[in-house]
Amino acid sequence: MKLLLKYLCVCLLLPLCVVATASVVDEYEYDFKSDEELYRFRALANELRCPKCQNQNLAESHAPIADDLRKVVFKKMQEGLDDDGIKTYLVERYGDFVLYKPRITLGTLLLWLSPFILLLMAIFAVFKLTRHRDIQTKDLTLDEQTKKAQAAKLLNIDDKP
Amino acid sequence: MKRILLFVPFVICLVLGVVFYKGIFQEDKEALPSALIGKPLPTFILRTVIANELKDTNDMKGAPALVNVWATWCPSCRIEHPDLITLSQQGVKIFGVNYKDDMFAAQEWLAKLGNPYVFSIQDGDGLLGVDLGVYGAPETFLIDHQGNIRLKYVGVFTLAIWESKFKALYDQLNVELQQQ
C-alpha cells in the first residue's frame, strides 16, 4: 500500500519537472520555416515578460505591446540573432524585468543568493540555541551542592567542580 | 557575543520593513525603470504628422527638451495635453512621437486641441517605441542637447510632475549648455 502511494506521488510530481512551453496566442500568424523555429519562438515568448501586463508572458498576453514585441522577436530570429542576442536586445530597451529568469549579474547576485544565505543563518541560529549547556556546580545553591557531592560519593564518580 | 546575535533577525526584519514600506507606497507600482537613462535617443528617420516631411534624430538635438509619446486613441494623452500646451508656451521645447496612430486623426486632434510640439513624428508601427522602451502611452522623456535620455516618466504628464521631477534637471542642463 505504501509502495503504491509512493509510485502515485512520483507519477503526479514528474510532470512538474518538464518546463512548460505553452503555445503562443497568435503563432498561426507567423510563417515558420520549420518546427524547430516554432518551438524556439514559443520558448522565447514564454520566457519574456509582457511589460504592460506584467504577470503574463509574451506567449499569453493580448496587450498591443506584447503583439509588437512578438513581432520583434520573430524579426530578430529571421535576422539570425541567437536567443541570448534577442534577450539582450529587449533588456537594453526594457530592462532586466522583461526576463522571467533574471540573469546572474552583480546586481541580481544578491537576489539569487539571499535564500541560501538566510537558510545558513537559520541553521546556524538553531544550532547555537539548542546546544546542551552543562549545569556547572557553582550555579547551584549551597544545599543543592551538598546533595550533589553526596550523590557523587554514593555513586563512586568524580564530582566535577 | 551570543546576545548580539539574537538581534540579527530583528535588524533584518527592520531593514525589510523599510524596503517593503517604500515599495507599498510607491506611486506607480507598475512603472518600469527606464533602461535607457544615460543612453542616446535611438536613431530614426520618420515623417512628421503635419507637414509629412522627414526628420531624424539630429533634428531633436541642440537643446534640452521633452519627448512626449502620444496618440489620439489614448485617453490619458488627452488629459495631459493642456499642461503640455502650457509648458510649450513657457518656452519648453517639446517633440512629439505619435505612437501607432493615424496621421489624419493626429492632424485633426492637434488642430482641435492645439499643438505644443516643435514637430511630431509618426511612429506608425511602434518600432521607435520599442527602441525607446515604450509600453503604453503617454510616456515623456527628458533629453539633453546631445540627445541623451536623462529622465523618463510613464503616465499623465502634469505640471506638478514637471515641477517635482523634471524642472530642476531641465534648468541645470540649460545652464550647462550656456556655459559651454
Side-chain angles (χ1 to χ4, degrees):
Chain A
M1 182 59 188
K2 237 182 179 179
L3 204 63
L4 187 67
L5 215 61
K6 272 191 189 172
Y7 275 125
L8 194 66
C9 283
V10 170
C11 289
L12 288 172
L13 291 173
L14 216 54
L16 290 176
C17 305
V18 175
V19 176
T21 40
S23 56
V24 179
V25 281
D26 58 1
E27 62 186 25
Y28 55 86
E29 284 179 7
Y30 293 95
D31 190 20
F32 298 107
K33 293 187 197 65
S34 67
D35 276 347
E36 279 82 42
E37 235 189 29
L38 168 63
Y39 297 147
R40 189 180 158 211
F41 183 70
R42 278 186 187 165
L44 279 169
N46 273 284
E47 257 193 55
L48 293 164
R49 189 192 304 269
C50 171
K52 186 74 185 159
C53 306
Q54 293 167 356
N55 60 346
Q56 288 187 310
N57 58 27
L58 286 190
E60 55 195 9
S61 175
H62 290 273
I65 186 65
D67 204 31
D68 289 346
L69 290 181
R70 283 193 292 265
K71 293 197 178 93
V72 168
V73 168
F74 184 73
K75 192 170 111 180
K76 292 298 165 192
M77 276 172 63
Q78 304 304 303
E79 285 174 14
L81 251 67
D82 63 359
D83 284 3
D84 211 36
I86 296 177
K87 287 183 198 169
T88 306
Y89 183 85
L90 288 174
V91 167
E92 273 172 0
R93 286 152 179 77
Y94 288 92
D96 284 316
F97 190 67
V98 83
L99 295 173
Y100 259 109
K101 292 184 193 168
R103 293 170 163 178
I104 302 178
T105 66
L106 211 60
T108 59
L109 206 60
L110 195 63
L111 188 71
W112 285 102
L113 290 181
S114 55
F116 300 105
I117 295 174
L118 285 171
L119 187 65
L120 281 174
M121 286 171 71
I123 292 174
F124 180 69
V126 167
F127 179 70
K128 273 266 171 173
L129 291 170
T130 59
R131 248 201 335 210
H132 292 294
R133 288 184 297 173
D134 289 316
I135 298 177
Q136 314 247 299
T137 311
K138 61 178 165 54
D139 293 340
L140 300 171
T141 66
L142 202 59
D143 197 27
E144 286 171 349
Q145 281 186 20
T146 329
K147 284 191 178 162
K148 188 165 181 258
Q150 283 178 338
K153 202 169 169 208
L154 282 172
L155 293 167
N156 275 320
I157 52 177
D158 285 306
D159 189 7
K160 289 197 289 265
Chain B
M1 169 65 183
K2 251 184 223 182
R3 278 278 162 85
I4 302 279
L5 283 181
L6 286 175
F7 282 96
V8 170
F10 174 70
V11 169
I12 294 177
C13 226
L14 210 61
V15 169
L16 282 178
V18 169
V19 171
F20 293 156
Y21 181 89
K22 284 175 102 176
I24 290 171
F25 290 102
Q26 201 183 321
E27 254 172 30
D28 181 4
K29 297 168 192 43
E30 279 194 3
L32 294 182
S34 175
L36 292 167
I37 304 289
K39 299 216 191 119
L41 265 181
T43 50
F44 64 84
I45 303 177
L46 293 169
R47 295 193 172 275
T48 59
V49 168
I50 296 182
N52 203 31
E53 54 191 17
L54 286 174
K55 295 278 181 193
D56 64 38
T57 330
N58 292 318
D59 292 313
M60 289 190 179
K61 296 182 188 175
L66 292 177
V67 177
N68 175 252
V69 177
W70 66 278
T72 58
W73 46 260
C74 155
S76 306
C77 302
R78 183 78 161 76
I79 296 174
E80 71 175 8
H81 197 80
D83 282 2
L84 291 177
I85 300 271
T86 311
L87 281 177
S88 70
Q89 284 166 347
Q90 285 175 6
V92 178
K93 269 174 114 181
I94 313 180
F95 297 101
V97 175
N98 188 228
Y99 180 64
K100 301 184 73 170
D101 209 349
D102 171 59
M103 185 179 84
F104 298 108
Q107 284 174 351
E108 229 184 274
W109 208 75
L110 290 175
K112 202 172 75 171
L113 300 171
N115 187 0
Y117 306 108
V118 175
F119 59 78
S120 267
I121 46 172
Q122 303 175 39
D123 184 23
D125 50 16
L127 289 181
L128 176 59
V130 170
D131 279 341
L132 282 168
V134 168
Y135 55 94
E139 298 189 10
T140 309
F141 299 84
L142 175 65
I143 56 170
D144 62 23
H145 70 279
Q146 290 170 322
N148 296 315
I149 296 173
R150 305 296 280 257
L151 276 180
K152 178 183 176 181
Y153 183 75
V154 175
V156 176
F157 193 77
T158 61
L159 289 172
I161 300 287
W162 165 257
E163 294 284 329
S164 61
K165 293 184 201 275
F166 280 67
K167 188 164 190 302
L169 183 55
Y170 174 81
D171 289 337
Q172 185 194 326
L173 290 172
N174 268 315
V175 167
E176 282 170 14
L177 181 62
Q178 265 149 27
Q179 282 170 352
Q180 279 187 359

